[in-house]
Amino acid sequence: MQNRCVFLSVCRPSQIHTRPTRKSDTHTSQPPHTFTLSSASIPLNQIRWIKLMCKPAVQLRMEWQPDEQGLQQVLQLLKDSQSPDTATQRAVQEKLEQLNQYPDFNNYLIFVLTSLKSEDEPTRSLSGLILKNNVKAHYQNFPPAVADFIKRECLNNIGDPSPLIRATIGILITTIASKGELQTWPELLPQLCNLLNSEDYNTCEGSFGALQKICEDSSELLDSDALNRPLNIMIPKFLQFFKHCSPKIRSHAIACVNQFIIGRAQALMDNIDTFIESLFALAGDEDCEVRKNVCRALVMLLEVRIDRLIPHMHSIIQYMLQRTQDADENVALEACEFWLTLAEQPICKEALSGHLVQLIPILVNGMKYSEIDIILLKGDVEEDDNVPDSEQDIKPRFHKSRTVTLQHEGGEGEEGEDIDEDEDDDDDTLSDWNLRKCSAAALDVLANVFRDELLPHLLPLLKGLLFHPDWVIKESGILVLGAIAEGCMQGMVPYLPELIPHLIQCLCDKKALVRSIACWTLSRYAHWVVSQPPDAHLKPLMTELLKRILDGNKRVQEAACSAFATLEEEACTELVPYLSFILDTLVFAFGKYQHKNLLILYDAIGTLADSVGHHLNQPEYIQKLMPPLIQKWNELKDEDKDLFPLLECLSSVATALQSGFLPYCEPVYQRCVTLVQKTLAQAMMYSQQPDQYEAPDKDFMIVALDLLSGLAEGLGGHVDQLVARSNIMTLLFQCMQDTMPEVRQSSFALLGDLTKACFPHVKPCIAEFMPILGTNLNPEFISVCNNATWAIGEICMQMGVEMQPYVSLVLPHLVEIINRPNTPKTLLENTAITIGRLGYVCPQEVAPMLQQFIRPWCTSLRNIRDNEEKDSAFRGICVMIGVNPGGVVQDFIFFCDAVASWVNPKDDLRDMFYKILHGFKDQVGEENWQQFSEQFPPILKERLSACYGV
C-alpha cells in the first residue's frame, strides 16, 4: 500500500515513500502543506487578477472552462510555490487566503489536477493538495455549484494514468467526505464500488485507493445507520477482490477490510469465516504489501475474534514464525506484533509452549541492529558531546502532576497504577517502531508470561551472544538480558554474580552503542544489585555509571543518567556515603552536557534528592548543588519549556533540603507565583477572545504549583512570610476550579501542603474551598480525587470541631469511594485516612455511618506503615467506635486485623485499642470470645495475645 501521508509533509509531491500505516496514521493528522511563491511571481495588477478569477458563482455550470490568462497565473503560482525562498512564504500564504475569497479559484485548482494533462505531475498534484487544504479550511463556504463541479471532476478522473494523480484525487475525495459530505454525497460510495468492476486497471486501483482512505477516516460512520449501513454491500465486495490478479488491488482490498476489525463492524462479523479463509488463501502471496496486510489482519483478529482463530492456532503460529523472519522488514515487523498481542491473551501459555524452541531464537535474532539502524544512530561516531543538539533531537516534555501517596510496609511504590514507565529499551532517538524494538518488547512480555520456563531456550544462546567478538551481536545479547530482567529475575539470580561484573565491564566497551545498552540493562537489575553487600556490586556499578555520565558520547551520557536515576530510586539512603562523589559528577555534567541531556540530568538530580531526602541538607552538598541550579534558573525565560524539568528538579531539592533551601526560596517562590498568574491571565484572555489570543500552555502553571508544594513541604513554617506577601490563595481558588484535571490535581496538593505549613493563611478561605473540594471527590479523575481527599484530611486536623458544617459536603462521597470496586490502592488509603480524621474531629456526625465503611476502611489501612496520618485515622476510628459500638460488631475481626498491623503505636493509642478489644471480649463473654478468636489466622491470634492480652 502506498501511503499518501507523505504528500502533505514533503516539499516536492513527486517524492513518495512507503511506510507501514497504523490505523491512526491517516493523512488527516499531518500538518498542512506550506506553499511558497517567489516575489517575482506575485501579480502586480491585483485588480486584473481578481477580475480574471472572479466570475460570478451563478455562471458555474458543467461546461465551466478556465480563462486562459487566469490559468497561466495559477500555473505560475504552482510552479513558484515549490521555491525554497522563505522570505516570500508569508506573502504567498496571504495571497492564497485572498484567492480563497473567490470560489472560482478552486475550479482552476481542480481543473489543473484533473484535466491539464500537458502539465508535469508534481505541479498537478500540488494543485490538488492546495485544493485539499482549501476544502479543509473553507469547504462550508464553497457555493454548491463549485462543490458539485469538484466532486464530479474527482469521480470522472479517479482512473488517471498517473499513480500520483490518482492518489491525490483519492486524498481530495476523502477530505471532502470527512467534511460531513458522506451523507450529502450519496452517489460517492455506490459509484466508487461500481468503478471497482472496471476492466481498466487504473480506474479500479484509483477507486480502491479512494475507498481505502475513506475506510480509514470514516470507519465508524460507515458502520452506522446514518448511511444506511453501506458495509453490508462493501465488505462482501471487498472480499471478492482478495483473489484479484493485481497485488496492488489485493493489498487495497485487505487494507479496506482491516479498518473494520477492531470496531467489530457487524457486516464483517457476518462474513468473518469467509474473511479468515480468504486470508489463509493469501498466506503464501508473493507480494510483500499483501503479506504485511495479512499479518496485520491476523494480529487484530487475535484481539477481537480469537475464538475464530483458536482452531487454526498451530498453523497460524507456524505462519507467523516464518513471517517474523520475512526478508521484507515491514512484513517481519507486522508479524512480530503477533507475539506481543498473543502474550496478552489467556491462551498464550498453552498455545505457545510447544513453539518456544523456534520462537525465542527468531526474536533474539531480530534484536540485532540493522545496518540502516547503525547508520541512522551514527553508530560509528564515538565522541559527539561537543556537537550542539538540534531542536528535533529534543522530544516535547509533559509534566506529570504531583500525586500524594503513603508509605507502605516494605516501602514499595504503587505497582500497576499511575506509574510512568519510561523504560524504552534503549535507542529512543530512533523513535520509529522497528523490528528490534518489537522483538525486544515481545521477549519482555513473553518473559512475564513464561517466567523461568523461558530460560532453557535462552541461556544457551545468551552465552554465545554476550561474549561474541562482533559488537553488534554482543550488543543484542546485552539487550536480551535486559528484556528478560523483569520476567525471569528469579531464574537469573544464580547467574548474576558472574553477569553483573561482565556488564559493568561492558560499560567501558570501545563501542558507544554497547556502552549505552549496558547502562540500560544494568538498570533493569538495579534491585538485585542493591540487595547485595554494597562493596560487591553497588560500589563498582556506581563508580562506572558515574564515569559514563561524563562519557564523550551523548547517547551514552543519556543512558547512564537514566540508569543512574533508576539506581538512585532502588538504593535510596545506601547512596549517602557517596553523596560528595555523586554530586561532583552531576555538577560537572552541567558544564559538559548539550541541551537534550541537560533535561535528563535535572531528573537524575531530582531523583537523588527524593532518594536521600534530608541527608542532602549539609552545607558542603548545598554549596556544590545549588549554584549551578540557580544559574540555570536565572538563564531561563518564563516561557521556556526547559523550566518544566528544572522546576520538577527544584521541587524535589527544596523538599529534601528543608531549611537548607531558605537562602534560595524567595526568588523561586515569587517566580512560581508569577508563572501561575501569567497562565491564568492568558487563559482568561483566550476564553474571552479565542480568535485573538492563543491558549496558554498550562504545564507552566502545573509545574509552578508543584514547586510551591515542594517549598511548602520542605520549608514548613518558614513559608509563612512568603505566603503572607503574595496573592497565592486567590490564585489557588482559581486553579482549583480549572477545567484541566492536572491543574486541579496540583492545586489540591498545594492546598494540603499549605494547610500543614501555614494554616492561618488558609483558614479564611475554607468556606469557599470546601464546596470545591467536595465537587472534586469524583473517582473518574483518580489523581484529582486522591489529592482532594488528602487535602480534606489535612484541613480536618487543623479545623478540629469547626469541620462540622462541612461533614455533609464530603462524607457521602468518601463512603461511596471506599466501597467502590476496583478503586486504586492509593485512593483507598487516602480516603480511609480522611474518613478517620473526619471522625476524629467530628465523631457525632461521622459515627452513625460506621457500619457502611468499617470493613473496607480496615482492609485499606492494614498495610500502611506506622506514621502520623495512620495514627490520627486510627484515633478517629476508636472515638467513633466509642460513639457507635454497634457499627463495628459485624466486622470486628477486620478491626482486630487492622489493630494488629501496628508495629509500635503510641502509648495512649495502644490504650484505646486495649479498651476496645477488652470491652468487646467482656461484652460477649469468655466462651463466645474463644469461638470468635478461633477464626483468626495464627499470626493474628499471637499478635493480639502478645500485645493486648486477648
Side-chain angles (χ1 to χ4, degrees), residues 485-704:
E486 192 184 327
C488 302
M489 179 62 83
Q490 226 168 344
M492 288 305 297
V493 165
Y495 306 97
L496 292 180
E498 186 187 340
L499 282 173
I500 296 296
H502 175 66
L503 287 171
I504 292 173
Q505 220 176 327
C506 292
L507 290 173
C508 308
D509 196 276
K510 64 178 193 295
K511 280 288 175 190
L513 289 173
V514 174
R515 298 199 298 277
S516 67
I517 196 63
C519 290
W520 178 75
T521 293
L522 279 160
S523 76
R524 301 271 284 176
Y525 290 95
H527 186 75
W528 181 83
V529 167
V530 170
S531 72
Q532 304 302 299
D535 287 351
H537 304 291
L538 176 61
K539 209 168 166 185
L541 171 57
M542 188 179 61
T543 308
E544 284 308 314
L545 266 184
L546 288 169
K547 287 181 192 167
R548 293 291 66 83
I549 283 175
L550 303 178
D551 199 277
N553 181 277
K554 290 193 286 190
R555 176 179 307 284
V556 179
Q557 292 172 0
E558 178 185 355
C561 241
S562 296
F564 196 74
T566 304
L567 186 65
E568 288 168 343
E569 287 174 334
E570 291 291 348
C572 292
T573 50
E574 296 275 334
L575 297 178
V576 171
Y578 317 108
L579 267 175
S580 186
F581 181 37
I582 292 168
L583 287 170
D584 285 342
T585 306
L586 297 179
V587 168
F588 190 82
F590 262 112
K592 185 178 175 71
Y593 277 13
Q594 298 295 340
H595 187 183
K596 179 186 174 189
N597 285 352
L598 206 51
L599 307 184
I600 295 158
L601 181 62
Y602 294 144
D603 181 54
I605 291 169
T607 307
L608 179 68
D610 291 338
S611 301
V612 300
H614 65 89
H615 296 284
L616 204 56
N617 187 7
Q618 298 291 335
E620 174 203 352
Y621 302 152
I622 294 170
Q623 201 41 51
K624 287 181 184 195
L625 181 59
M626 288 309 297
L629 282 176
I630 293 297
Q631 186 188 337
K632 291 289 176 196
W633 167 265
N634 290 331
E635 284 170 11
L636 293 175
K637 294 187 170 68
D638 280 353
E639 49 283 348
D640 192 327
K641 290 194 177 181
D642 285 4
L643 272 177
F644 297 169
L646 179 55
L647 283 160
E648 286 173 31
C649 170
L650 278 170
S651 178
S652 297
V653 170
T655 306
L657 291 186
Q658 299 172 351
S659 59
F661 198 79
L662 272 173
Y664 311 96
C665 67
E666 187 143 4
V668 171
Y669 179 90
Q670 291 304 343
R671 188 171 190 181
C672 288
V673 172
T674 304
L675 282 169
V676 174
Q677 202 156 354
K678 274 187 177 177
T679 313
L680 285 172
Q682 205 179 334
M684 175 75 76
M685 291 190 296
Y686 173 71
S687 69
Q688 289 170 353
Q689 294 172 293
D691 302 340
Q692 291 185 31
Y693 293 100
E694 278 188 20
D697 184 340
K698 289 186 180 175
D699 268 1
F700 284 106
M701 179 157 69
I702 296 165
V703 287

Side-chain angles (χ1 to χ4, degrees), residues 473-488:
I473 295 172
K474 177 160 112 177
E475 194 278 345
S476 73
I478 299 171
L479 173 57
V480 168
L481 197 54
I484 62 167
E486 192 184 327
C488 302

Side-chain angles (χ1 to χ4, degrees), residues 128-190:
L129 292 170
I130 294 178
L131 177 54
K132 184 228 38 163
N133 280 349
N134 290 351
V135 166
K136 280 181 86 169
H138 309 293
Y139 189 72
Q140 67 280 9
N141 301 327
F142 284 21
V146 173
D148 290 345
F149 180 64
I150 292 168
K151 292 194 287 196
R152 206 164 42 247
E153 285 296 292
C154 283
L155 284 174
N156 289 343
N157 292 279
I158 195 71
D160 193 281
S162 155
L164 177 60
I165 301 304
R166 290 200 300 273
T168 308
I169 293 172
I171 291 176
L172 187 51
I173 286 173
T174 193
T175 307
I176 294 170
S178 71
K179 300 299 284 186
E181 284 293 298
L182 270 179
Q183 285 101 318
T184 54
W185 192 358
E187 68 274 21
L188 173 64
L189 293 173

Side-chain angles (χ1 to χ4, degrees), residues 291 295 299 316-340 358-367 435-436 438-440 442:
R291 293 199 303 276
C295 289
V299 170
I316 293 171
I317 287 171
Q318 287 301 322
Y319 175 67
M320 287 300 190
L321 286 167
Q322 286 176 359
R323 292 286 71 82
T324 309
Q325 303 171 82
D326 201 286
D328 184 293
E329 186 173 327
N330 288 327
V331 178
L333 174 58
E334 212 56 65
C336 195
E337 296 272 2
F338 180 81
W339 314 114
L340 269 176
Q358 294 165 280
L359 174 60
I360 298 306
I362 292 170
L363 291 177
V364 166
N365 193 48
M367 288 163 75
L435 184 60
R436 167 187 164 89
C438 192
S439 301

Side-chain angles (χ1 to χ4, degrees), residues 223 231-232 235-236 239 257-276 300-301 303-308:
D223 188 32
L231 291 187
N232 293 338
I235 284 191
L239 290 171
V257 179
N258 281 359
Q259 296 304 323
F260 304 100
I261 298 175
I262 296 294
R264 300 170 188 258
Q266 192 55 49
L268 177 55
M269 295 301 116
D270 293 344
N271 290 277
I272 196 76
D273 292 328
T274 313
F275 177 43
I276 291 170
M300 290 191 284
L301 285 167
E303 277 188 60
V304 298
R305 286 311 300 263
I306 194 168
D307 58 311
R308 284 294 195 266

